[in-house]
Amino acid sequence: MNDRPKLLAIYLNDHLTGAASGVELLRRAARAHRDTPLGPTLAAMAQEVAQDRESLRRIMTDLRVPVMRSRTALGWLAEKAGRLKLNGRIVSRSPLSDVVELEAMRLGVEGKACAWRSLQTLAATDPRIDGARLRELLRRAERQIRILEALRVERAAQVFTADAAGKARQPSTPVAAWDAPTGLDSGDPR
């Protein structure tokens, strides 16, 4: 018996679940930072990750892989449950939340990049998958990883180090996140 289609369906649905969590986390972080220099960068990345999620759905449709809605709902719930972590504050948002969330965002995008690479392997033998599109999606994920890592390092420095006067470091202007062309338009995620 050939388990490959079933395994592919589970794999792609797991990534779709992760994408749902990632979009929710990015949107929430963007809202939390809407009045800071970090807000626009996170909002733009949330939009891109939502487009990437739609690209994954289209690939699943092309491969005739059904969406397991219960898994997607679990991803949404997992993101909500992730808010309950202890962060040194009971009621308000902790500066530590930014560091942990940026790490989670980066890990999520790393996972997405791995999925695009895995699908590139399948594209070599399956004409239903657009290899060129996957290369574009992978380049975009790699750019997102660089941006998230720069933001994470900067925020960690702000939270964990102090200037010579003993004050917490102030944020600088975020990375010029959206100036590099990705080959992907903001319209059709395909």
Side-chain angles (χ1 to χ4, degrees):
M1 182 173 178
N2 184 357
D3 284 340
R4 287 187 180 123
K6 180 181 177 184
L7 296 174
L8 181 62
I10 292 169
Y11 178 77
L12 294 177
N13 273 283
D14 284 351
H15 277 281
L16 188 61
T17 298
S21 297
V23 169
E24 286 296 314
L25 177 57
L26 279 158
R27 286 178 177 162
R28 182 170 54 83
R31 281 190 307 272
H33 290 281
R34 72 177 152 262
D35 297 327
T36 73
L38 193 57
T41 300
L42 292 173
M45 188 162 305
Q47 183 178 357
E48 278 193 2
V49 171
Q51 290 169 359
D52 295 344
R53 179 184 58 191
E54 290 309 310
S55 293
L56 177 57
R57 280 192 182 131
R58 287 180 186 262
I59 291 168
M60 292 171 70
T61 298
D62 292 345
L63 294 172
R64 294 183 178 84
V65 171
V67 171
M68 298 173 187
R69 302 233 182 266
S70 59
R71 284 184 184 242
T72 304
L74 284 175
W76 182 84
L77 285 172
E79 188 281 328
K80 303 299 182 223
R83 297 178 188 191
L84 301 175
K85 65 189 171 298
L86 298 175
N87 61 11
R89 296 203 179 152
I90 304 272
V91 179
S92 64
R93 184 173 171 83
S94 166
L96 184 57
S97 296
D98 293 342
V99 176
V100 173
E101 288 174 356
L102 286 163
E103 288 176 358
M105 290 175 216
R106 178 180 170 177
L107 290 170
V109 175
E110 292 272 1
K112 174 176 63 177
C114 289
W116 299 145
R117 287 184 194 103
S118 294
L119 286 168
Q120 282 181 318
T121 302
L122 183 58
T125 60
D126 192 327
R128 298 175 295 176
I129 301 175
D130 182 350
R133 176 67 178 157
L134 285 172
R135 284 189 294 280
E136 291 172 7
L137 289 165
L138 181 57
R139 277 193 298 275
R140 179 154 82 173
E142 290 167 344
R143 181 179 53 80
Q144 291 168 350
I145 291 165
R146 288 190 302 275
I147 292 165
L148 288 167
E149 179 60 9
L151 295 173
R152 185 197 67 76
V153 167
E154 181 176 336
R155 191 62 181 133
Q158 293 163 5
V159 171
F160 300 130
T161 63
D163 66 14
K167 297 183 203 170
R169 288 181 46 185
Q170 294 302 309
S172 63
T173 305
V175 203
W178 309 106
D179 57 356
T182 63
L184 302 175
D185 63 21
S186 60
D188 181 11
R190 189 166 212 191

